[in-house]
């Protein structure tokens, strides 16, 4: 049994050995990595090491032979698509790698993929074939010099100053599209134009070989070419143009000395083509200061040309201010002795000489200024113009304080005192809340604006113990000083001085006894102010908001910057509050030049003040080498604001005649003079009609919304008689709009900046009223308006008012004769006719009045009646002589017993005035003769019916 098992095992082993001799035992073997090279114009890859696959089963047939190679994707995933591997010798395992299509080095220079070898297996059918491991193949595509250099630009331009040698004027650059460094690099450039004073290096830098002379040759033109390292020449040569500039002078180029500004054009650039030339000097900081000088215009710049009170209303200030320096008038005579100076705006400028020019405000005005909450505002200019030097005394080397306002007011049961003064470049407010108890406090500000001899706006808001100062709309904080020195208490007497302060009698006893010397001459002025003041107002109560203060000071013209978003990096712009100085700072010349060209002038006034505004440009440069840094001189020019188009203010809708029955004028409300008044403002400007195919030019008128600042109604001829006639105005409308009115016998003046519609409403409410029995025959009025403080005026609208009378009282011939004598002899005293004053015979009246027409008709009627009477008397006399002489009956005689005359004395007046009138006149006249038994008196009646609308009047 055991023997049988052993034989079976032995047979199995022999069978296995026989079968194992035929099996494919080993895998093919290849290198793990290959480096290959292929040319752009070839597809065979040269590998290093060569491609051989080995198999340990050799020399067995099939099992030891290599049947093929397989290519797999590499890291890029595209190698298997572009390459293939083939077997050259199956027994040796030699293989070849090649590309399926031509390769382009410019599109892809490196390729990577994997390759794997496999044997032929155990038989011809490849059963049980084995694969080798995967080997990485790196193939580099070698470049072929197939491209020529190409210049980046076909034309190169440069500008250089004459007389200097430069290391580089301009750089020409060419590129080659080949992929390899050998063929893609530009090895050298060459100037192909002969005999030019220029050279070019291998990097394309062009320089001059000798100093250039702009007079000898201003422009040099030549051609350059390029070669790559494969000696291919550029496809097209490049042109180089070098312009020789005259000797460089550092400074601003493009400066225009005169700049014109048309009012209403918004903002315009002042330096549109200005740029800085540094002549290749390296600078690291540039600072330019543009200064617009407007000190000669009004109070330092173009502001609203309205009165200070009107500007306050336009700015929304709280009402209730008291004008301490009003225009001289019978009601405000404390400024009549102060000298005034002309001003281009509407304000009144008062001059103070530091000695005897003092304004003493009346007690009636000071009484309304009590309280420790108030706002003091004023315009100030130290020194002023055309003023003699100050005569202030000196204490050592320091001048005395100059007092602007000095005031003591009564607050219920106490007195408070304050004074605003200037001393050198310091402004101080000395405030004493209670002169009998509290200690005084001094608020001090050190300001350059106080001593620069320019106009400045000061707004001092006192809400004790808080004090706020605005100078030109900018807030300044004070230094608080509690003055504990020996200061005599101000006498408890209410008074206020402008331009100085008072000093009581030298005797301290009188001060302690609270006695005040009587009489103006006994008061000595101290601390006189030397300079100009304007618009000094005090408003008791709450302080003004900051927005109102800024509006009061706001300039309507100034310097500005066009677009801050266009500023380059490192650029800074600063404009002072008055917008008269603009500072630019930067470190890059190109950015700085662009910024300078963005500096603009703006003027928001529609009717800007024409004239010249001087301009200055100051430049400061900082260089790395401070010793050789450039120094630029200051540039000076001027801005000319042209004359604006004048507005036409047209008044219409009135008269020229207004006829009403006399009793209507004697009513309690009188008769409105201008019920249908119309005011229109328009601008006329030239239009270029040539561009529209029209010959010549034309004027175009545009209706605009304006603000009037005054209208005046004035009676022509003699002034109004306050006992018989008056002009009435709706005061509710005037007060509601905050307007001011002056109503005298010579005129009515309505002032204040307001819209046209408001002035129309006010003027339509103007009425003319007469006292009972005071009607005249005619009265003429003139209406006119203005804006911009009288700078532009309207047409003068004249209205003739006619009073229509009933003529029942004018039927007696003797009465008419008296009227005729007064009319025919104007040199005599006019007197009164039936209670009516005759019109002034010297007036220039184009159309005769109704009373004149009536008198002339009546006189003519009287003459006719006298002639007829004389004629009839003579006829009767002849008939009487014929009867005594036995004359025959039947002689000629005129039987006028039934004579009737109908006269319409208003017919001629109706034809001109358009008034419908029906007149009936019946008269019977019988002489005392036998043929006329009835004796009837003259009877004449004239009936007038008015069927017309009131005339409308307008006037400035």
């Amino acid at each position: 049994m055991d023997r049988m098992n052993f034989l079976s095992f032995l047979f199995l082993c022999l069978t296995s050995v026989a079968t194992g001799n035929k099996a494919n035992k080993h895998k093919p073997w290849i290198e793990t990595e290959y480096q290959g090279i292929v040319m752009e114009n070839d597809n065979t890859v040269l590998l290093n090491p060569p491609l051989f696959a080995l198999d340990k089963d050799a020399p067995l047939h099939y099992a030891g032979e290599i049947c093929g190679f397989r290519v797999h994707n590499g890291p890029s995933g595209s190698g298997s698509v572009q390459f293939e591997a083939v077997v050259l010798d199956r027994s040796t395992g030699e293989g070849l790698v090649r590309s399926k299509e031509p390769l382009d080095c410019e599109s892809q220079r490196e390729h990577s993929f994997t390759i794997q070898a496999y044997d032929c297996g155990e038989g011809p059918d490849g059963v049980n074939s084995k694969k080798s491991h995967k080997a990485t193949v790196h193939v580099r595509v070698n470049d072929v010099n197939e491209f020529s250099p190409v210049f980046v630009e076909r034309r190169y331009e440069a500008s250089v100053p004459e007389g200097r040698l430069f290391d580089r004027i301009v750089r020409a650059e060419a590129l080659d599209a080949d992929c390899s460094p050998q063929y893609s690099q530009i090895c050298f450039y060459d100037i192909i134009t002969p005999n030019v004073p220029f050279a070019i290096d291998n990097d394309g830098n062009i320089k001059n070989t000798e100093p250039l002379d702009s007079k000898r040759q201003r422009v040099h033109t030549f051609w350059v070419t390029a070669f790559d390292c494969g000696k291919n020449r550029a496809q097209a040569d490049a042109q180089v143009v070098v312009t020789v500039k005259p000797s460089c002078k550092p400074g601003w180029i493009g400066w225009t000395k005169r700049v014109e500004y048309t009012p209403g054009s918004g903002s315009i650039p002042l330096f549109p083509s200005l740029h800085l030339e540094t002549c290749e000097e390296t600078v690291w900081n540039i600072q330019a200061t543009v200064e617009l000088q407007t000190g000669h215009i009004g109070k330092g710049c173009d502001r609203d040309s309205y009165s200070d009170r009107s500007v306050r209303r336009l700015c929304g200030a709280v009402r209730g201010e008291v004008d301490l320096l009003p225009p001289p008038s019978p009601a405000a005579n404390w400024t009549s002795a102060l000298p005034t100076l002309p001003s281009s705006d509407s304000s009144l400028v008062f001059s103070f000489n530091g000695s005897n020019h003092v304004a003493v405000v009346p007690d009636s005005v000071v009484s309304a200024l009590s309280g420790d909450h108030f706002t003091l505002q004023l315009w100030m200019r130290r020194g002023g113009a055309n003023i003699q030097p100050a005569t202030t005394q000196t204490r050592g080397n320091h001048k005395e304080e100059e007092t602007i306002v000095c005031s003591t007011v009564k607050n219920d049961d106490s007195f408070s005192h304050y004074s605003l003064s200037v001393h050198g470049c310091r402004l101080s407010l000395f405030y004493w809340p209670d002169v009998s108890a509290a200690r005084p406090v001094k608020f001090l500000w050190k300001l350059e604006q106080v001593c620069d001899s320019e106009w400045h706006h000061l707004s001092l808001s006192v809400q004790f113990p808080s004090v706020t100062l605005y100078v030109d709309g900018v807030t300044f904080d004070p230094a608080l000083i509690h003055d504990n020195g020996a200061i005599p208490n101000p006498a408890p007497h209410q008074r206020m001085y402008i331009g100085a302060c008072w000093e009581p009698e030298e005797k301290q006893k009188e001060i302690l006894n609270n006695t005040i010397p009587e009489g103006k001459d006994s008061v000595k002025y101290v601390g006189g102010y030397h300079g100009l003041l304007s618009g000094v107002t005090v408003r008791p109560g709450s302080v003004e908001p900051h927005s109102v203060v800024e509006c009061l000071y706001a300039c309507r013209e100034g310097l500005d910057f066009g677009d801050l978003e266009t500023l380059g990096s490192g650029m800074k712009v600063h404009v002072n509050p008055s917008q008269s100085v603009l500072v630019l700072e930067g470190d890059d010349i190109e950015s700085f030049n662009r910024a300078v060209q963005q500096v603009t002038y703006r003027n928001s006034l529609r009717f800007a003040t024409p004239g010249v505004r001087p301009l200055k440009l100051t430049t400061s440069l900082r260089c790395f080498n401070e010793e050789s840094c450039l120094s630029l001189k200051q540039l000076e020019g001027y801005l000319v604001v042209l004359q604006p188009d004048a507005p036409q203010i047209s008044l219409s809708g009135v008269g020229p005649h207004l006829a009403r029955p006399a009793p209507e004028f004697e009513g309690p409300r009188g008769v409105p003079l201008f019920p249908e008044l119309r005011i229109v403002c328009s601008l006329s400007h030239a239009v270029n009609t040539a561009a529209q195919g029209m010959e010549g030019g034309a004027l175009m008128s545009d209706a605009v919304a304006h603000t009037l600042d005054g209208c005046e109604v004035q009676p022509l001829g003699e002034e109004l008689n306050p006992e018989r006639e008056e002009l009435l105005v709706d005061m509710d409308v005037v007060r509601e709009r905050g307007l001011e009115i002056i109503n005298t016998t010579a005129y009515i003046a309505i002032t204040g900046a307001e819209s046209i519609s408001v002035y129309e409403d006010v003027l339509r409410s103007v009425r003319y009223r007469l006292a009972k029995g005071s009607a005249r025959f005619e009265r003429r009025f003139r209406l006119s308006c203005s804006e911009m403080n009288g700078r532009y005026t309207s047409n003068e609208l004249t209205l003739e008012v006619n009073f229509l009378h009933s003529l029942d009282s004018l039927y007696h011939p003797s009465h008419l004769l008296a009227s005729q004598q007064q009319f025919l002899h104007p040199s005599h005293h006019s007197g009164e006719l039936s209670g009516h004053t005759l019109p002034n015979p010297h007036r220039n009246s184009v159309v005769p009045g109704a009373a004149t027409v009536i008198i002339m008709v009546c006189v003519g009627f009287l003459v006719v009646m006298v002639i007829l009477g004389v004629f009839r008397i003579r006829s009767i006399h002849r008939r009487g002589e014929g009867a005594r002489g036995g004359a025959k009956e039947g002689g000629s005689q005129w039987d006028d017993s039934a004579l009737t005359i109908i006269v319409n004395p208003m017919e001629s007046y109706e034809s001109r005035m358009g008034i419908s009138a029906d007149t009936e006149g019946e008269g019977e006249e019988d002489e005392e003769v036998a043929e006329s038994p009835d004796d009837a008196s003259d009877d004449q009646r004239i009936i007038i019916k008015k069927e017309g609308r009131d005339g409308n009047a307008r006037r400035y």
Side-chain angles (χ1 to χ4, degrees):
M1 187 66 181
D2 293 336
R3 187 175 181 179
M4 289 297 293
N5 292 337
F6 175 78
L7 292 176
S8 299
F9 176 76
L10 181 61
F11 177 77
L12 180 61
C13 291
L14 292 176
T15 305
S16 299
V17 170
T19 305
N21 291 334
K22 299 179 180 179
N24 187 9
K25 296 181 180 181
H26 300 92
K27 296 179 181 180
W29 177 90
I30 57 177
E31 297 287 344
T32 58
E33 186 176 10
Y34 294 90
Q35 300 293 332
I37 298 175
V38 60
M39 300 298 294
E40 280 185 321
N41 56 0
D42 194 4
N43 62 348
T44 301
V45 178
L46 300 179
L47 294 179
N48 183 24
L51 180 58
F52 283 93
L54 303 178
D55 196 327
K56 291 183 178 181
D57 293 326
L60 294 178
H61 196 47
Y62 300 113
E65 297 176 343
I66 303 301
C67 280
F69 296 92
R70 293 179 181 174
V71 177
H72 303 279
N73 290 338
S76 60
S78 61
S80 62
V81 177
Q82 296 177 294
F83 293 90
E84 64 180 356
V86 297
V87 177
L88 300 180
D89 189 345
R90 296 176 63 176
S91 60
T92 61
E94 182 180 3
L96 175 67
V97 177
R98 60 189 179 188
S99 61
K100 299 178 181 179
E101 57 185 20
L103 300 177
D104 187 3
C105 177
E106 286 71 33
S107 60
Q108 185 175 352
R109 190 176 181 185
E110 301 284 344
H111 298 270
S112 296
F113 54 90
T114 58
I115 190 173
Q116 189 178 32
Y118 59 92
D119 56 18
C120 296
E122 297 179 351
D125 52 358
V127 177
N128 197 22
S129 63
K130 294 184 180 296
K131 302 177 182 178
S132 69
H133 63 272
K134 294 181 179 179
T136 303
V137 180
H138 301 283
V139 178
R140 186 180 73 247
V141 182
N142 277 1
D143 186 26
V144 175
N145 194 8
E146 55 184 334
F147 295 100
S148 299
V150 176
F151 280 97
V152 176
E153 297 181 14
R154 297 295 304 274
R155 179 184 176 93
Y156 294 90
E157 296 183 0
S159 298
V160 294
E162 63 181 357
R164 294 175 56 185
L165 292 175
F166 297 91
D167 294 334
R168 187 180 74 174
I169 297 176
V170 66
R171 180 175 181 268
E173 182 181 7
L175 301 177
D176 195 300
D178 289 312
C179 66
S180 64
Q182 178 183 3
Y183 301 129
S184 63
Q185 291 184 354
I186 307 300
C187 278
F188 63 94
Y189 295 85
D190 189 22
I191 297 177
I192 60 177
T193 302
N195 302 324
V196 292
F198 297 94
I200 188 171
D201 60 16
N202 292 339
D203 294 328
N205 298 314
I206 300 175
K207 64 179 181 179
N208 56 327
T209 57
E210 61 183 45
L212 303 177
D213 188 356
S214 63
K215 297 180 180 178
R216 185 174 61 184
Q217 186 172 353
R218 182 67 183 275
V219 179
H220 295 267
T221 303
F222 53 93
W223 296 84
V224 298
T225 189
F227 293 88
D228 61 16
C229 294
K231 297 186 179 181
N232 275 359
R233 182 175 172 174
Q235 292 181 352
D237 301 327
Q239 186 183 38
V240 180
V241 178
V242 178
T243 302
V244 183
K245 299 185 297 185
S247 298
C248 179
K249 295 181 180 180
W252 291 102
I253 299 176
W255 170 262
T256 302
K257 189 173 184 180
R258 174 189 172 96
V259 181
E260 291 187 354
Y261 178 79
T262 303
S265 57
S267 299
I268 62 168
L270 292 176
F271 321 112
S273 59
L274 189 65
H275 62 279
L276 181 63
E277 176 59 60
T278 60
C279 296
E280 304 298 329
E281 182 70 28
T282 303
V283 297
W284 65 271
N285 183 267
I286 312 170
Q287 182 173 332
T289 302
V290 183
E291 182 179 358
L292 178 69
Q293 299 179 7
T294 57
H296 61 290
I297 302 171
K299 298 189 184 74
C301 70
D302 219 352
R303 293 183 171 89
D304 284 317
S305 298
Y306 298 109
S307 64
D308 291 332
R309 187 178 296 271
S310 296
V311 173
R312 286 181 58 83
R313 291 186 60 255
L314 295 174
C315 290
V318 180
R319 299 178 185 176
E321 73 278 0
V322 178
D323 195 351
L324 303 182
L325 290 179
S329 65
N333 58 358
W334 67 90
T335 59
S336 58
L338 295 178
T340 59
L341 295 179
S343 177
S344 60
D345 57 11
S346 62
S347 60
L348 191 60
V349 177
F350 293 92
S351 171
F352 295 84
N353 61 0
S355 58
N356 59 344
H357 290 168
V358 181
V360 181
V361 183
D363 291 344
S364 59
V365 178
V366 181
S367 300
L369 303 178
S370 61
D372 56 359
H373 290 188
F374 61 90
T375 299
L376 173 65
Q377 297 192 17
L378 56 95
W379 286 93
M380 179 187 71
R381 181 179 179 182
R382 291 284 299 281
N386 301 325
I387 302 177
Q388 297 298 326
T391 58
T392 55
Q393 298 178 356
T394 59
R395 296 178 181 176
N397 296 327
H398 301 281
K399 292 184 178 181
E400 291 183 347
E401 287 189 348
E402 300 178 19
T403 304
I404 300 174
V405 179
C406 189
S407 173
T408 299
V409 297
K410 184 177 182 180
N411 303 318
D412 297 331
D413 298 332
S414 63
F415 287 86
S416 63
H417 173 82
Y418 73 88
S419 63
L420 182 66
S421 306
V422 290
H423 184 198
C425 291
R426 290 175 173 83
L427 178 74
S428 64
L429 174 68
F430 182 79
Y431 191 78
W432 207 326
D434 189 348
V435 298
S436 61
R439 295 300 300 167
V441 179
K442 178 180 283 188
F443 301 88
L444 189 65
W445 296 268
K446 186 176 181 181
L447 304 169
E448 295 180 0
Q449 293 88 337
V450 176
C451 55
D452 61 0
S453 298
E454 299 290 341
W455 277 108
H456 295 285
H457 181 261
L458 274 64
S459 178
L460 191 67
S461 295
V462 178
Q463 195 168 5
F464 193 77
S466 174
V467 175
T468 304
L469 174 67
Y470 297 96
V471 180
D472 298 338
V474 180
T475 309
F476 290 89
D477 296 327
L480 187 62
I481 300 175
H482 292 275
D483 202 331
N484 296 320
I487 301 175
N489 292 25
H493 181 73
Q494 186 167 265
R495 52 185 166 177
M496 176 180 285
Y497 287 2
I498 308 297
C501 200
W502 61 86
E503 182 179 90
E505 293 289 339
E506 297 179 354
K507 298 180 180 180
Q508 188 69 20
K509 181 179 179 180
E510 292 182 346
I511 299 177
L512 297 177
N513 294 334
N514 295 331
T515 60
I516 300 299
E518 297 182 357
K520 183 178 179 180
D521 296 335
S522 63
V523 178
K524 181 181 179 182
Y525 300 130
V526 295
Y529 173 73
H530 179 259
L532 304 179
L533 292 178
S534 177
V536 183
T537 61
V538 172
R539 187 184 59 79
S542 60
V543 299
E544 294 282 12
H546 189 193
S547 58
V548 173
V549 178
E550 288 181 338
C551 178
L552 293 174
Y553 168 74
C555 287
R556 304 304 180 188
E557 67 171 343
L559 299 173
D560 203 352
F561 194 80
D563 188 4
L564 292 175
E565 296 182 357
T566 61
L567 272 178
S569 59
M571 290 295 304
K572 299 178 182 179
V573 180
H574 174 73
V575 185
N576 67 337
S578 62
Q579 294 189 300
S580 60
V581 178
L582 184 145
V583 179
L584 284 173
E585 186 175 358
D587 52 9
D588 180 69
I589 294 180
E590 295 299 328
S591 299
F592 197 87
N593 288 336
R594 289 193 298 269
V596 168
Q597 296 171 6
Q598 291 288 326
V599 177
T600 61
Y601 168 80
R602 58 120 187 100
N603 195 320
S604 60
L605 286 181
R606 178 177 297 164
F607 307 109
T609 303
V612 175
R613 278 80 162 160
L615 273 174
K616 291 183 179 179
L617 177 59
T618 306
T619 310
S620 175
L621 301 177
R622 301 184 67 179
C623 309
F624 291 102
N625 186 0
E626 295 292 341
E627 296 181 357
S628 62
C629 195
L630 303 177
S631 177
L632 304 181
K633 66 177 183 178
Q634 185 182 70
L635 298 180
E636 296 183 358
Y638 55 92
L639 172 76
V640 180
V641 178
L642 303 178
Q643 185 73 32
D645 294 328
Q648 287 79 41
I649 309 174
S650 175
L651 308 181
S652 61
V654 176
H657 295 279
L658 175 64
R660 292 288 186 276
E664 293 189 17
F665 292 92
E666 297 173 355
R669 292 181 54 83
V671 175
L673 295 180
F674 319 109
E676 297 182 6
L677 177 65
R678 294 290 182 270
I679 305 177
V680 177
C681 286
S682 60
L683 280 177
S684 296
H685 52 87
V687 179
N688 184 11
T689 55
Q692 304 175 4
M694 302 169 61
E695 295 183 358
L699 289 178
M700 178 176 292
S701 181
D702 299 329
V704 293
H706 280 242
T707 300
L708 300 181
D709 61 5
C711 289
E712 182 181 286
V713 181
Q714 178 184 5
L716 298 180
E718 59 191 27
E719 296 183 1
L720 298 177
N721 187 343
E723 298 179 357
R724 297 183 178 182
E725 54 186 342
E726 63 178 340
L727 288 174
L728 305 176
V729 183
D730 190 345
M731 296 302 299
D732 294 336
V733 178
V734 175
R735 294 191 189 97
E736 181 182 356
R737 299 298 184 176
L739 300 177
E740 299 180 3
I741 184 169
I742 301 175
N743 194 347
T744 66
T745 59
Y747 62 90
I748 285 184
I750 304 169
T751 58
E754 260 298 349
S755 63
I756 290 178
S757 61
V758 171
Y759 269 93
E760 285 180 339
D761 294 340
V762 174
L763 292 175
R764 289 169 185 171
S765 70
V766 175
R767 293 173 172 268
Y768 180 53
R769 189 172 69 87
L770 295 173
K772 293 292 184 181
S774 300
R776 306 164 55 99
F777 285 105
E778 66 174 5
R779 168 62 94 173
R780 300 173 67 219
F781 296 94
R782 182 173 60 196
L783 171 65
S784 59
C785 295
S786 71
E787 70 169 319
M788 306 295 290
N789 193 41
R791 181 175 170 186
Y792 302 107
T793 59
S794 69
N795 59 307
E796 293 185 350
L797 201 59
T798 302
L799 174 67
E800 182 177 302
V801 180
N802 299 115
F803 309 94
L804 305 182
H805 303 271
S806 174
L807 298 182
D808 291 339
S809 60
L810 302 177
Y811 69 91
H812 293 288
S814 61
H815 194 93
L816 294 175
L817 183 59
S819 300
Q820 177 188 9
Q821 291 176 354
Q822 292 180 358
F823 178 75
L824 297 176
H825 302 282
S827 60
H828 298 287
H829 182 68
S830 61
E832 293 185 0
L833 180 62
S834 298
H836 305 298
T837 303
L838 288 175
N840 190 343
H842 299 285
R843 295 182 187 168
N844 297 325
S845 179
V846 179
V847 181
T852 305
V853 176
I854 295 173
I855 292 174
M856 293 180 65
V857 173
C858 292
V859 169
F861 174 73
L862 176 62
V863 173
V864 172
M865 295 300 295
V866 171
I867 293 174
L868 290 177
V870 173
F871 206 42
R872 293 181 63 184
I873 291 172
R874 292 182 63 183
S875 299
I876 294 171
H877 180 68
R878 289 187 188 130
R879 288 200 300 270
E881 289 180 352
R884 288 193 299 268
K888 295 173 61 176
E889 290 286 335
S892 301
Q893 54 179 295
W894 179 15
D895 184 7
D896 55 356
S897 60
L899 176 63
T900 301
I901 300 175
I902 300 175
V903 181
N904 185 359
M906 293 296 292
E907 181 178 357
S908 60
Y909 184 74
E910 292 170 358
S911 63
R912 296 190 308 273
M913 299 296 296
I915 300 176
S916 175
D918 297 332
T919 306
E920 295 181 0
E922 294 183 359
E924 293 182 357
E925 185 177 351
D926 297 328
E927 300 293 338
E928 296 179 355
V929 293
E931 291 82 7
S932 303
D934 299 331
D935 184 6
S937 60
D938 296 338
D939 186 10
Q940 182 185 42
R941 292 185 301 164
I942 300 176
I943 302 174
I944 301 175
K945 296 181 180 179
K946 184 180 81 68
E947 298 178 357
R949 63 181 183 179
D950 297 343
N952 299 328
R954 285 174 62 109
R955 139 160 185 75
Y956 163 28

